Protein backbone atom coordinates (compact mmCIF):
# COMPACT_ATOMS: atom_id res chain seq x y z
CA UNK A 1 0.00 0.00 0.00
CA UNK A 2 2.85 2.38 0.78
CA UNK A 3 4.33 1.71 -2.67
CA UNK A 4 1.00 2.60 -4.30
CA UNK A 5 0.79 5.96 -2.54
CA UNK A 6 4.44 6.78 -3.30
CA UNK A 7 3.67 6.33 -7.00
CA UNK A 8 0.37 8.20 -6.70
CA UNK A 9 1.93 11.19 -4.92
CA UNK A 10 4.73 11.44 -7.49
CA UNK A 11 2.19 11.31 -10.33
CA UNK A 12 0.05 14.01 -8.68
CA UNK A 13 3.05 16.32 -8.14
CA UNK A 14 4.20 15.79 -11.74
CA UNK A 15 0.71 16.56 -13.03
CA UNK A 16 0.61 19.75 -10.96
CA UNK A 17 3.99 20.88 -12.30
CA UNK A 18 2.92 20.30 -15.91
CA UNK A 19 -0.40 22.14 -15.53
CA UNK A 20 -0.44 25.87 -16.39
CA UNK A 21 -1.29 28.31 -13.61
CA UNK A 22 -5.02 28.32 -14.24
CA UNK A 23 -8.18 27.26 -12.48
CA UNK A 24 -7.37 23.66 -13.45
CA UNK A 25 -4.18 23.76 -11.39
CA UNK A 26 -6.06 25.10 -8.37
CA UNK A 27 -8.63 22.30 -8.67
CA UNK A 28 -5.86 19.71 -8.88
CA UNK A 29 -4.11 21.23 -5.88
CA UNK A 30 -7.36 21.09 -3.92
CA UNK A 31 -7.80 17.40 -4.79
CA UNK A 32 -4.22 16.59 -3.73
CA UNK A 33 -4.72 18.45 -0.45
CA UNK A 34 -7.90 16.49 0.25
CA UNK A 35 -6.02 13.23 -0.39
CA UNK A 36 -3.28 14.29 2.02
CA UNK A 37 -5.85 15.08 4.72
CA UNK A 38 -7.39 11.61 4.23
CA UNK A 39 -3.98 10.01 4.71
CA UNK A 40 -3.44 12.00 7.91
CA UNK A 41 -6.90 11.01 9.17
CA UNK A 42 -6.22 7.35 8.37
CA UNK A 43 -2.94 7.45 10.28
CA UNK A 44 -4.83 9.02 13.19
CA UNK A 45 -7.23 6.05 13.37
CA UNK A 46 -10.20 7.22 11.29
CA UNK A 47 -12.02 4.10 10.11
CA UNK A 48 -13.74 5.82 7.19
CA UNK A 49 -10.52 7.41 5.91
CA UNK A 50 -8.56 4.15 6.27
CA UNK A 51 -11.18 2.21 4.32
CA UNK A 52 -11.00 4.87 1.59
CA UNK A 53 -7.24 4.57 1.14
CA UNK A 54 -7.49 0.77 1.20
CA UNK A 55 -10.08 0.92 -1.59
CA UNK A 56 -7.80 3.20 -3.59
CA UNK A 57 -4.68 1.08 -3.05
CA UNK A 58 -6.36 -2.23 -3.97
CA UNK A 59 -8.46 -0.99 -6.88
CA UNK A 60 -11.91 -0.94 -5.28
CA UNK A 61 -12.34 2.61 -6.59
CA UNK A 62 -10.42 5.19 -8.57
CA UNK A 63 -8.10 4.83 -11.56
CA UNK A 64 -6.71 1.45 -10.50
CA UNK A 65 -10.20 -0.09 -10.62
CA UNK A 66 -10.50 0.82 -14.29
CA UNK A 67 -7.05 -0.64 -15.01
CA UNK A 68 -8.01 -3.92 -13.31
CA UNK A 69 -11.39 -4.12 -15.07
CA UNK A 70 -10.20 -3.16 -18.55
CA UNK A 71 -8.83 -6.63 -19.58
CA UNK A 72 -12.08 -8.44 -18.76
CA UNK A 73 -14.36 -5.92 -20.48
CA UNK A 74 -13.55 -7.58 -23.79
CA UNK A 75 -13.06 -11.14 -25.02
CA UNK A 76 -10.49 -11.59 -27.82
CA UNK A 77 -11.63 -15.19 -28.39
CA UNK A 78 -15.33 -14.33 -28.82
CA UNK A 79 -16.96 -13.95 -32.19
CA UNK A 80 -17.75 -10.41 -33.26
CA UNK A 81 -21.50 -9.88 -32.76
CA UNK A 82 -23.54 -8.77 -35.77
CA UNK A 83 -24.51 -5.15 -36.21
CA UNK A 84 -27.87 -4.02 -34.93
CA UNK A 85 -27.88 -1.22 -37.52
CA UNK A 86 -26.61 -2.70 -40.76
CA UNK A 87 -24.75 0.38 -42.04
CA UNK A 88 -23.22 1.36 -38.66
CA UNK A 89 -20.08 -0.36 -37.39
CA UNK A 90 -20.53 1.13 -33.91
CA UNK A 91 -23.92 -0.51 -33.47
CA UNK A 92 -22.51 -3.88 -32.42
CA UNK A 93 -23.76 -4.90 -28.95
CA UNK A 94 -21.31 -5.33 -26.05
CA UNK A 95 -19.55 -8.65 -25.52
CA UNK A 96 -19.56 -10.16 -22.03
CA UNK A 97 -16.35 -12.09 -21.42
CA UNK A 98 -16.54 -15.33 -19.37
CA UNK A 99 -14.78 -13.59 -16.47
CA UNK A 100 -17.17 -10.64 -16.51
CA UNK A 101 -20.20 -12.95 -16.73
CA UNK A 102 -19.09 -14.82 -13.62
CA UNK A 103 -18.60 -11.56 -11.72
CA UNK A 104 -21.96 -10.12 -12.79
CA UNK A 105 -23.87 -13.30 -11.93
CA UNK A 106 -22.40 -13.53 -8.40
CA UNK A 107 -23.39 -11.47 -5.38
CA UNK A 108 -19.91 -11.91 -3.87
CA UNK A 109 -18.39 -9.51 -6.39
CA UNK A 110 -21.06 -6.81 -6.56
CA UNK A 111 -22.31 -3.91 -4.48
CA UNK A 112 -25.89 -4.95 -5.30
CA UNK A 113 -27.67 -8.25 -5.93
CA UNK A 114 -26.48 -10.54 -8.69
CA UNK A 115 -27.84 -10.33 -12.21
CA UNK A 116 -29.58 -13.13 -14.04
CA UNK A 117 -28.21 -14.74 -17.19
CA UNK A 118 -31.31 -13.61 -19.08
CA UNK A 119 -30.67 -9.94 -18.29
CA UNK A 120 -27.29 -10.09 -20.05
CA UNK A 121 -28.95 -11.12 -23.31
CA UNK A 122 -32.02 -8.96 -22.85
CA UNK A 123 -31.51 -5.96 -20.50
CA UNK A 124 -34.56 -5.14 -18.34
CA UNK A 125 -34.80 -1.64 -19.83
CA UNK A 126 -35.49 -3.04 -23.29
CA UNK A 127 -39.22 -3.17 -24.11
CA UNK A 128 -40.80 -6.28 -25.70
CA UNK A 129 -41.08 -4.30 -28.96
CA UNK A 130 -37.42 -5.14 -29.65
CA UNK A 131 -38.62 -8.55 -30.82
CA UNK A 132 -40.27 -7.95 -34.26
CA UNK A 133 -42.53 -10.97 -33.78
CA UNK A 134 -43.96 -9.71 -30.47
CA UNK A 135 -47.51 -8.46 -30.08
CA UNK A 136 -46.30 -4.98 -29.01
CA UNK A 137 -44.20 -4.68 -32.17
CA UNK A 138 -47.21 -5.53 -34.34
CA UNK A 139 -49.44 -3.01 -32.53
CA UNK A 140 -46.99 -0.14 -31.91
CA UNK A 141 -44.47 -0.70 -34.65
CA UNK A 142 -40.79 -1.72 -34.49
CA UNK A 143 -38.54 -0.34 -31.79
CA UNK A 144 -35.80 2.13 -32.74
CA UNK A 145 -32.52 0.32 -33.48
CA UNK A 146 -30.50 3.30 -32.27
CA UNK A 147 -32.32 3.28 -28.94
CA UNK A 148 -31.69 -0.46 -28.62
CA UNK A 149 -27.95 0.06 -29.14
CA UNK A 150 -27.85 2.86 -26.56
CA UNK A 151 -29.82 0.86 -23.97
CA UNK A 152 -27.60 -2.21 -24.33
CA UNK A 153 -24.38 -0.25 -23.96
CA UNK A 154 -25.76 1.88 -21.11
CA UNK A 155 -26.77 -1.27 -19.23
CA UNK A 156 -23.36 -2.86 -19.85
CA UNK A 157 -21.50 0.19 -18.52
CA UNK A 158 -23.76 0.69 -15.52
CA UNK A 159 -23.50 -2.92 -14.35
CA UNK A 160 -19.77 -3.49 -14.74
CA UNK A 161 -19.12 -0.37 -12.67
CA UNK A 162 -20.88 -2.11 -9.74
CA UNK A 163 -18.38 -4.98 -9.85
CA UNK A 164 -15.40 -5.33 -7.52
CA UNK A 165 -12.52 -6.42 -9.80
CA UNK A 166 -10.49 -9.47 -8.69
CA UNK A 167 -6.75 -9.07 -8.23
CA UNK A 168 -5.88 -12.39 -9.86
CA UNK A 169 -7.27 -15.61 -11.31
CA UNK A 170 -6.80 -18.92 -9.50
CA UNK A 171 -6.85 -22.30 -11.27
CA UNK A 172 -8.46 -25.02 -9.19
CA UNK A 173 -6.47 -28.23 -8.95
CA UNK A 174 -8.46 -31.43 -8.49
CA UNK A 175 -5.41 -33.21 -7.04
CA UNK A 176 -4.68 -30.58 -4.40
CA UNK A 177 -6.58 -28.27 -2.06
CA UNK A 178 -4.36 -25.32 -3.02
CA UNK A 179 -5.29 -23.18 -6.01
CA UNK A 180 -2.60 -22.28 -8.52
CA UNK A 181 -2.05 -18.61 -9.38
CA UNK A 182 1.26 -18.51 -11.26
CA UNK A 183 1.31 -17.29 -14.85
CA UNK A 184 2.73 -20.64 -15.99
CA UNK A 185 -0.24 -22.53 -14.54
CA UNK A 186 -2.66 -20.08 -16.16
CA UNK A 187 -1.01 -20.41 -19.57
CA UNK A 188 -1.20 -24.21 -19.37
CA UNK A 189 -4.90 -23.96 -18.55
CA UNK A 190 -5.48 -21.47 -21.37
CA UNK A 191 -6.56 -18.69 -18.99
CA UNK A 192 -5.46 -15.09 -19.28
CA UNK A 193 -3.89 -13.41 -16.27
CA UNK A 194 -5.19 -10.27 -14.56
CA UNK A 195 -3.41 -7.07 -13.57
CA UNK A 196 -1.86 -8.17 -10.24
CA UNK A 197 -1.33 -11.82 -11.12
CA UNK A 198 1.45 -13.62 -9.29
CA UNK A 199 2.59 -10.65 -7.18
CA UNK A 200 1.35 -12.04 -3.86
CA UNK A 201 -0.78 -8.96 -3.13
CA UNK A 202 -3.91 -10.94 -2.25
CA UNK A 203 -1.88 -13.27 -0.04
CA UNK A 204 -0.42 -10.25 1.81
CA UNK A 205 -3.94 -8.97 2.55
CA UNK A 206 -4.92 -12.37 3.93
CA UNK A 207 -1.80 -12.46 6.09
CA UNK A 208 -2.65 -9.11 7.71
CA UNK A 209 -6.35 -9.98 8.10
CA UNK A 210 -5.63 -13.31 9.77
CA UNK A 211 -8.32 -15.81 10.75
CA UNK A 212 -11.64 -14.58 12.10
CA UNK A 213 -11.57 -17.07 14.96
CA UNK A 214 -8.66 -18.73 16.74
CA UNK A 215 -8.69 -21.82 18.95
CA UNK A 216 -9.17 -21.29 22.66
CA UNK A 217 -5.81 -21.28 24.48
CA UNK A 218 -5.14 -24.51 26.32
CA UNK A 219 -5.21 -24.48 30.09
CA UNK A 220 -2.19 -25.61 32.08
CA UNK A 221 -3.94 -28.90 32.90
CA UNK A 222 -4.65 -29.55 29.21
CA UNK A 223 -1.06 -28.77 28.26
CA UNK A 224 0.28 -31.15 30.88
CA UNK A 225 -2.10 -33.89 29.74
CA UNK A 226 -0.67 -33.53 26.24
CA UNK A 227 2.86 -33.63 27.52
CA UNK A 228 3.90 -30.09 26.63
CA UNK A 229 4.38 -26.84 28.51
CA UNK A 230 3.97 -24.63 25.42
CA UNK A 231 0.59 -23.96 23.84
CA UNK A 232 1.19 -24.68 20.15
CA UNK A 233 -2.50 -24.23 19.27
CA UNK A 234 -2.31 -20.41 19.42
CA UNK A 235 -1.84 -18.91 15.94
CA UNK A 236 0.26 -15.82 15.38
CA UNK A 237 -1.58 -12.83 13.92
CA UNK A 238 -1.27 -9.07 13.71
CA UNK A 239 -1.41 -7.52 17.18
CA UNK A 240 -3.80 -4.70 16.18
CA UNK A 241 -7.40 -5.92 16.20
CA UNK A 242 -8.54 -2.65 14.57
CA UNK A 243 -6.18 -3.20 11.62
CA UNK A 244 -7.21 -6.84 11.28
CA UNK A 245 -10.87 -5.80 11.09
CA UNK A 246 -10.17 -3.28 8.32
CA UNK A 247 -8.37 -5.88 6.23
CA UNK A 248 -11.04 -8.51 6.91
CA UNK A 249 -13.62 -6.05 5.62
CA UNK A 250 -11.37 -5.42 2.61
CA UNK A 251 -11.38 -9.18 1.89
CA UNK A 252 -15.17 -8.89 1.63
CA UNK A 253 -14.57 -6.53 -1.32
CA UNK A 254 -11.88 -8.70 -2.94
CA UNK A 255 -13.65 -11.49 -4.83
CA UNK A 256 -11.77 -14.66 -5.71
CA UNK A 257 -12.14 -15.52 -9.40
CA UNK A 258 -11.40 -19.22 -9.86
CA UNK A 259 -11.22 -21.27 -13.05
CA UNK A 260 -12.12 -24.97 -12.93
CA UNK A 261 -10.76 -26.94 -15.93
CA UNK A 262 -13.06 -29.58 -17.39
CA UNK A 263 -13.12 -31.84 -20.43
CA UNK A 264 -16.10 -32.38 -22.66
CA UNK A 265 -17.13 -35.58 -24.47
CA UNK A 266 -14.70 -34.88 -27.32
CA UNK A 267 -11.84 -34.66 -24.77
CA UNK A 268 -11.34 -30.98 -25.51
CA UNK A 269 -10.17 -28.80 -22.66
CA UNK A 270 -12.64 -26.23 -21.38
CA UNK A 271 -13.72 -24.86 -18.04
CA UNK A 272 -15.89 -22.47 -16.12
CA UNK A 273 -15.36 -19.53 -13.80
CA UNK A 274 -16.71 -19.20 -10.28
CA UNK A 275 -16.62 -16.38 -7.74
CA UNK A 276 -16.26 -16.66 -3.97
CA UNK A 277 -14.93 -14.80 -0.94
CA UNK A 278 -12.21 -15.73 1.49
CA UNK A 279 -13.32 -17.56 4.62
CA UNK A 280 -11.55 -14.79 6.57
CA UNK A 281 -13.65 -12.02 4.97
CA UNK A 282 -16.10 -9.91 6.94
CA UNK A 283 -19.11 -9.76 4.63
CA UNK A 284 -22.89 -9.98 5.18
CA UNK A 285 -23.12 -12.99 2.85
CA UNK A 286 -20.77 -14.97 5.11
CA UNK A 287 -22.40 -14.02 8.40
CA UNK A 288 -23.73 -17.54 9.08
CA UNK A 289 -20.95 -19.46 7.37
CA UNK A 290 -19.73 -22.49 9.41
CA UNK A 291 -16.21 -21.06 9.45
CA UNK A 292 -17.52 -18.16 11.59
CA UNK A 293 -18.04 -20.42 14.60
CA UNK A 294 -15.08 -21.45 16.76
CA UNK A 295 -13.99 -25.04 16.91
CA UNK A 296 -15.57 -27.10 19.67
CA UNK A 297 -13.53 -29.03 22.19
CA UNK A 298 -15.65 -32.18 22.67
CA UNK A 299 -13.89 -33.49 25.78
CA UNK A 300 -13.94 -30.21 27.68
CA UNK A 301 -17.54 -29.50 26.71
CA UNK A 302 -18.74 -32.94 27.80
CA UNK A 303 -17.00 -32.57 31.16
CA UNK A 304 -18.64 -29.17 31.65
CA UNK A 305 -22.04 -30.60 30.64
CA UNK A 306 -21.78 -33.52 33.09
CA UNK A 307 -20.72 -31.14 35.85
CA UNK A 308 -23.70 -28.84 35.12
CA UNK A 309 -26.14 -31.78 35.11
CA UNK A 310 -24.80 -33.07 38.43
CA UNK A 311 -25.05 -29.65 40.02
CA UNK A 312 -28.61 -29.23 38.74
CA UNK A 313 -29.66 -32.60 40.22
CA UNK A 314 -28.09 -31.67 43.55
CA UNK A 315 -30.07 -28.41 43.68
CA UNK A 316 -33.32 -30.27 42.91
CA UNK A 317 -32.72 -32.80 45.68
CA UNK A 318 -31.99 -29.97 48.15
CA UNK A 319 -35.26 -28.21 47.27
CA UNK A 320 -37.25 -31.45 47.74
CA UNK A 321 -35.62 -32.09 51.11
CA UNK A 322 -36.52 -28.60 52.32
CA UNK A 323 -40.17 -29.14 51.31
Amino acid sequence: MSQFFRIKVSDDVRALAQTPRTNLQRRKMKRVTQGLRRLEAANSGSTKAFEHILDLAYGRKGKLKWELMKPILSDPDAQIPPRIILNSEKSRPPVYSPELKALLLSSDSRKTKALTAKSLDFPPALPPRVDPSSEDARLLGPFSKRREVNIRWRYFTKEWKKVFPPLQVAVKDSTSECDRTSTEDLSRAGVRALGMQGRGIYENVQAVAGPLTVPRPLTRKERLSRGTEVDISVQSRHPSRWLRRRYQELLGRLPILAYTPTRDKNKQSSGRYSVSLSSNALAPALRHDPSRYPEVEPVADLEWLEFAKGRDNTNKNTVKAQK
Side-chain angles (χ1 to χ4, degrees):
M1 186 169 63
S2 58
Q3 182 180 2
F4 169 82
F5 278 100
R6 279 198 297 267
I7 297 174
K8 186 178 186 303
V9 169
S10 63
D11 290 344
D12 291 342
V13 172
R14 192 178 299 111
L16 276 173
Q18 296 174 355
T19 304
R21 294 183 178 277
T22 58
N23 293 333
L24 179 60
Q25 188 183 50
R26 285 196 293 271
R27 288 198 298 269
K28 286 185 177 181
M29 187 63 188
K30 182 179 179 180
R31 186 166 60 248
V32 172
T33 305
Q34 289 175 345
L36 180 60
R37 289 174 180 171
R38 280 201 182 101
L39 283 174
E40 293 174 346
N43 289 329
S44 301
S46 171
T47 300
K48 184 177 180 180
F50 195 81
E51 289 177 351
H52 177 79
I53 67 170
L54 281 180
D55 286 344
L56 282 179
Y58 291 97
R60 306 305 90 191
K61 61 174 64 173
K63 183 181 178 181
L64 184 56
K65 178 180 180 179
W66 160 248
E67 293 176 354
L68 291 175
M69 286 294 299
K70 187 177 179 180
I72 63 178
L73 294 180
S74 60
D75 187 3
D77 298 329
Q79 294 182 352
I80 299 177
R83 302 174 182 176
I84 297 177
I85 304 174
L86 296 180
N87 58 354
S88 176
E89 179 63 27
K90 294 183 179 180
S91 67
R92 299 184 188 275
V95 176
Y96 293 87
S97 65
E99 300 95 329
L100 183 59
K101 280 184 180 179
L103 293 169
L104 290 173
L105 299 180
S106 173
S107 59
D108 291 335
S109 56
R110 289 172 53 82
K111 301 176 182 178
T112 56
K113 66 179 183 178
L115 301 181
T116 60
K118 181 181 177 181
S119 63
L120 302 184
D121 298 328
F122 198 91
L126 280 178
R129 289 171 57 197
V130 173
D131 184 6
S133 60
S134 65
E135 185 68 21
D136 290 353
R138 288 194 295 268
L139 294 175
L140 304 175
F143 189 70
S144 169
K145 297 293 184 181
R146 175 55 59 191
R147 287 186 62 190
E148 180 183 353
V149 173
N150 293 340
I151 289 174
R152 287 185 180 276
W153 275 101
R154 195 178 299 120
Y155 184 76
F156 174 80
T157 304
K158 182 184 71 172
E159 294 303 328
W160 79 251
K161 287 184 177 181
K162 299 177 184 178
V163 169
F164 292 123
L167 299 181
Q168 59 187 11
V169 182
V171 178
K172 288 189 174 295
D173 189 355
S174 58
T175 62
S176 174
E177 295 182 357
C178 299
D179 297 338
R180 296 170 295 173
T181 58
S182 65
T183 54
E184 294 80 7
D185 293 327
L186 265 64
S187 60
R188 282 195 295 267
V191 179
R192 56 178 175 175
L194 295 185
M196 296 186 180
Q197 193 75 40
R199 300 184 182 181
I201 296 177
Y202 186 84
E203 290 75 11
N204 292 338
V205 175
Q206 281 192 312
V208 178
L212 286 176
T213 59
V214 295
R216 176 183 58 82
L218 298 178
T219 63
R220 183 174 180 274
K221 183 179 179 180
E222 290 172 336
R223 293 198 303 269
L224 292 176
S225 64
R226 298 185 182 187
T228 178
E229 286 287 343
V230 181
D231 187 0
I232 59 176
S233 65
V234 179
Q235 302 179 10
S236 60
R237 53 180 181 171
H238 198 280
S240 173
R241 181 179 181 273
W242 183 87
L243 190 64
R244 292 199 309 269
R245 288 293 182 185
R246 302 291 78 75
Y247 274 83
Q248 288 165 0
E249 291 171 353
L250 175 63
L251 283 177
R253 302 188 295 274
L254 288 175
I256 302 172
L257 183 63
Y259 179 80
T260 305
T262 57
R263 288 188 176 274
D264 55 17
K265 296 180 180 179
N266 298 326
K267 296 185 178 180
Q268 295 181 351
S269 61
S270 59
R272 62 182 184 85
Y273 288 93
S274 60
V275 180
S276 61
L277 291 175
S278 170
S279 58
N280 297 334
L282 271 180
L286 300 178
R287 184 174 301 170
H288 301 294
D289 192 83
S291 61
R292 292 292 187 271
Y293 303 103
E295 297 181 0
V296 178
E297 295 286 345
V299 177
D301 287 349
L302 286 175
E303 290 179 356
W304 179 87
L305 183 61
E306 292 296 333
F307 172 76
K309 285 182 178 179
R311 187 171 183 179
D312 187 45
N313 292 333
T314 302
N315 292 337
K316 288 182 180 178
N317 294 333
T318 304
V319 172
K320 288 181 181 179
Q322 289 178 353
K323 289 182 177 179

